[in-house]
Amino acid sequence: MRRAIIKGVGGYVPEDVLTNDMLERMVSTNNQWILERTGIAQRRILKDKTLGSSFMATKAAETLLKNTNTDPSQIDLVICATTTPDHVFPATANIVSDKAGIKQAFSFDVSAACSGFLYALYTASKYIESGSHQKAIVIGVDKMSSIIDYADRATSIIFGDGAGAVLLEASESGNGIIDGQMYSDGVGAKHLHQKAGGSAIPPSKHTIDQRLHFAYQEGPAVFKWAVTKMADVTEEVMKRNGLTADNLDWLVPHQANKRIIDATARRAGLAEEKVMLNIEKYGNTTSGTLPLCLYDYQSQLQDGQNLMLCAFGGGFTWGALYLKWGS
Ligand code: UT7
C-alpha cells in the first residue's frame, strides 16, 4: 500500500519576542489572565516590515531541504497553507518555490485559517498516494502580526508569527498518513474573519480609517465551537482506526488555547506527556502550529509511533489526521 510518509521537518520562528509583560503595556490585559485563560507566555514577531510570510516559509523549507539532504530539483509539489500571504496573488507557494530554488514543481496556496496546514497535508498526501507526485513540501506559515490590531486585547494576546514545513514521500513500509477527516462550515465566518481587503470590501480610505484590515474574533463563540469540534473529529478518526489512549502515542493539536488542547486530550483519554505543546513560547501561529510542534518534538518521535494531528480554525474549518511516523 503506497502511503505518504513525513520524511523530515523544518521550522522557523523570528527572533523578536513579545512577552505578556510587554502586552500589559500596550493593551488592557495582564500576564496572569493570559497565562490562565490561554497558556501563552510569549510569541515571536517578525518585526521587519519589508518581510512577509514567504521569508519565514523559505527559511523553513530551506532547513527541511538541508535536513533531508534533498536537492530542490527533486521536489514536484509545494503547497503552502497561509492566511497572511505576501500578496493577494501570486500564491506565496510560488514565491517560496522560487526563493528555495524549486523549479520543477507545481505550487499553490491553501486558505483554511488555523486548519490550513492540516488541509494542505491531507491534500498533498493524496497526490503522493496516487503516484502522480513523488516529493511534496507542505508548508504552514503566518505572519499574524501583519493583521493584528495591537489595541485589541481579544486577538493581540493570542497570535504570533512562525513557519514549519514537512517533506512528503511515498513508502510501502506501512508507515505514513493512514486516514484523515476534514470539515468546514461557513456559518462560522461571522465569528472570525478579516473584514476588508478582499473582493467584497476592497481596500479604501474608509476601510483603513475604520480599522477593517485586522483579524476580528469573537473569542467565546469560536472557543465553544473549537472545544467541541476538535475533540469530536479526533474521537471519530481514533474510533474508526482502532486507536485508544493506550496505542495512540502523540496528539499533535492546533495551538490556539491550552484549554481547548486540554479538553481534546481529556476526551481522548490521553496523559499530558503524549500531547505536543509549544503554545507557551509561540502563541497561536495559525498555519504554523502543527509543523512547528513536529519540528520541536522530532527528536522524541520513533518509527511506527501513532500520531493524531487535529485543528480548528476560521471558516469554520476543522479536521483530524492519523499517521504512523517513520519511513
Ligand atoms: O485559532 C483558531 C481559532 N481561535 C481560537 O480557537 C480561539 C478561541 N477563543 C479563545 O481562546 C478565548 O475565547 C479567548 C482567549 C480569546 C478569550 O478567553 P475567554 O475565556 O473566552 O474570555 P472572554 O472573552 O469570555 O472574557 C472573560 C473575561 C471578561 O471579563 P468579565 O466580563 O468576566 O469581567 C473579559 O472582559 O475576561 C475579560 N477579558 C480579558 N481580561 C484581560 C477578555 N480578554 C481579556 C484580556 N485580558 N486579553
Side-chain angles (χ1 to χ4, degrees):
M1 169 103 188
R2 181 181 163 105
R3 286 192 180 130
I5 50 150
I6 294 185
K7 187 79 182 168
V9 195
Y12 177 81
V13 288
E15 273 173 24
D16 278 299
V17 174
L18 177 62
T19 64
N20 291 350
D21 290 345
M22 291 157 85
L23 274 167
E24 273 186 25
R25 296 194 286 276
M26 296 159 71
V27 71
S28 170
T29 191
N30 61 80
N31 177 44
Q32 193 190 345
W33 190 96
I34 302 174
L35 272 180
E36 280 174 9
R37 306 300 291 176
T38 70
I40 302 168
Q42 60 178 52
R43 319 107 193 99
R44 299 299 187 93
I45 305 292
L46 184 60
K47 279 210 167 150
D48 188 334
K49 293 213 183 307
T50 67
L51 300 175
S53 288
S54 72
F55 171 78
M56 295 185 287
T58 304
K59 291 266 189 202
E62 285 173 346
T63 307
L64 174 66
L65 289 168
K66 190 165 168 253
N67 289 352
T68 54
N69 204 16
T70 304
D71 191 280
S73 65
Q74 296 175 288
I75 304 296
D76 53 10
L77 170 65
V78 177
I79 307 183
C80 180
T82 185
T83 306
T84 51
D86 280 19
H87 306 284
V88 173
F89 74 93
T92 299
N94 304 158
I95 298 168
V96 175
S97 296
D98 180 52
K99 286 183 176 172
I102 299 167
K103 300 288 184 187
Q104 311 291 333
F106 97 105
S107 63
F108 59 92
D109 286 0
V110 161
S111 168
C114 294
S115 307
F117 180 79
L118 203 62
Y119 270 44
L121 185 62
Y122 185 59
T123 303
S125 73
K126 300 299 172 194
Y127 284 92
I128 299 289
E129 275 169 27
S130 74
S132 68
H133 290 75
Q134 312 309 319
K135 284 183 194 279
I137 290 185
V138 183
I139 302 167
V141 59
D142 271 299
K143 185 185 176 185
M144 292 306 290
S145 62
S146 66
I147 56 163
I148 292 301
D149 179 355
Y150 285 95
D152 175 13
R153 69 178 184 175
T155 50
S156 59
I157 57 145
I158 302 173
F159 292 102
D161 301 340
V166 299
L167 175 65
L168 294 190
E169 283 183 16
S171 169
E172 300 196 352
S173 67
N175 289 334
I177 294 171
I178 293 173
D179 192 15
Q181 186 67 51
M182 306 294 137
Y183 290 111
S184 65
D185 188 338
V187 75
K190 58 182 175 289
H191 300 301
L192 181 50
H193 57 265
Q194 186 174 328
K195 292 187 186 298
S199 58
I201 310 179
S204 66
K205 180 169 183 313
H206 170 77
T207 62
I208 291 169
D209 290 346
Q210 296 300 309
R211 307 176 75 76
L212 303 182
H213 292 273
F214 294 117
Y216 168 82
Q217 175 171 259
E218 294 164 3
V222 180
F223 186 93
K224 261 188 222 154
W225 271 77
V227 92
T228 311
K229 296 298 183 187
M230 209 161 92
D232 282 353
V233 72
T234 301
E235 190 177 35
E236 182 184 344
V237 179
M238 279 179 73
K239 270 197 179 146
R240 74 174 179 226
N241 289 283
L243 292 166
T244 64
D246 292 330
N247 59 15
L248 183 59
D249 297 291
W250 293 100
L251 183 70
V252 192
H254 171 52
Q255 312 277 305
N257 187 317
K258 172 96 171 18
R259 288 184 290 144
I260 299 171
I261 295 170
D262 288 346
T264 305
R266 237 185 344 263
R267 178 94 82 81
L270 288 176
E272 253 180 38
E273 314 82 71
K274 289 187 169 187
V275 182
M276 291 192 190
L277 208 61
N278 58 18
I279 190 171
E280 189 179 359
K281 52 183 185 172
Y282 303 144
N284 180 352
T285 56
T286 303
S287 306
T289 61
L290 296 181
L292 278 172
C293 275
L294 294 174
Y295 189 58
D296 283 357
Y297 280 80
Q298 61 183 326
S299 63
Q300 296 180 51
L301 297 176
Q302 289 164 24
D303 199 70
Q305 282 190 330
N306 290 319
L307 275 65
M308 182 69 67
L309 283 64
C310 58
F312 182 90
F316 291 130
T317 54
W318 66 100
L321 181 144
Y322 164 42
L323 69 88
K324 263 190 192 297
W325 193 257
S327 295

